[in-house]
Amino acid sequence: MILFGLKPSVENRPKEHEKSNVWKNLLSVLKMVVTPKMALLIPLFACLGFQSIFVNSMYNRQIDDRSNIALYMIVYTVVEVFSGFIHGWCIDRIGLYPMLILYILLGTSSLILGYFANLWQNSTFILLYILFSLTDSGFQTFVRLNCIRIMNSV
């Protein structure tokens, strides 16, 4: 169930007279960057950035009809944005490691489909980008949850 339009609880509602100081908030975030717990996230950010640039460019190079690349990237982005909530819900309901197995199966199927999409050069790339986006956002959700558990245990 999507919770759009619901009001926050009384204790989480912003006070009318409270004004947020942007510089104070920015400084508090910058102070967190140098803490040891945040150092655990550096490999995650490096991996995600490398993966987004490298893997997407590898798939995009396979496409002969370059006019559809924007469509494929839009499909990838929309699926990734909207599937994060679904991944979290499924992890809560099914469990972390069964979902990891599902992500591995989705990733394997996207690699196999990548071979056929390259061979056929048709709208199979849309399904490929959907599967690839589901796998990517699933692994990101999985890694983030494990990082949060590690940070809370330190």
Side-chain angles (χ1 to χ4, degrees), residues 66-143:
R66 305 261 186 234
S67 65
N68 290 330
I69 290 178
L71 171 67
Y72 302 148
M73 295 311 294
I74 289 170
V75 166
Y76 176 87
T77 304
V78 168
V79 170
E80 183 147 354
V81 166
F82 287 108
S83 63
F85 174 79
I86 296 167
H87 290 301
W89 183 83
C90 289
I91 286 172
D92 289 342
R93 299 286 186 259
I94 299 171
L96 196 60
Y97 292 103
M99 287 304 292
L100 176 62
I101 293 169
L102 177 66
Y103 301 146
I104 291 170
L105 292 173
L106 282 173
T108 305
S109 61
S110 67
L111 290 174
I112 293 168
L113 186 63
Y115 171 78
F116 289 109
N118 187 29
L119 189 66
W120 296 330
Q121 291 293 324
N122 58 13
S123 60
T124 312
F125 278 105
I126 292 177
L127 181 59
L128 172 66
Y129 275 78
I130 289 171
L131 281 176
F132 183 61
S133 181
L134 286 172
T135 304
D136 181 45
S137 59
F139 279 128
Q140 288 179 26
T141 304
F142 180 81
V143 169

Side-chain angles (χ1 to χ4, degrees), residues 4 25 31 36 44 47 57 62 64 66 88 105 112 117 138 144 149:
F4 290 117
N25 292 340
K31 284 180 183 177
L44 171 67
C47 176
S57 67
Q62 296 178 18
D64 290 338
R66 305 261 186 234
L105 292 173
I112 293 168
R144 284 185 192 126
R149 288 182 183 170

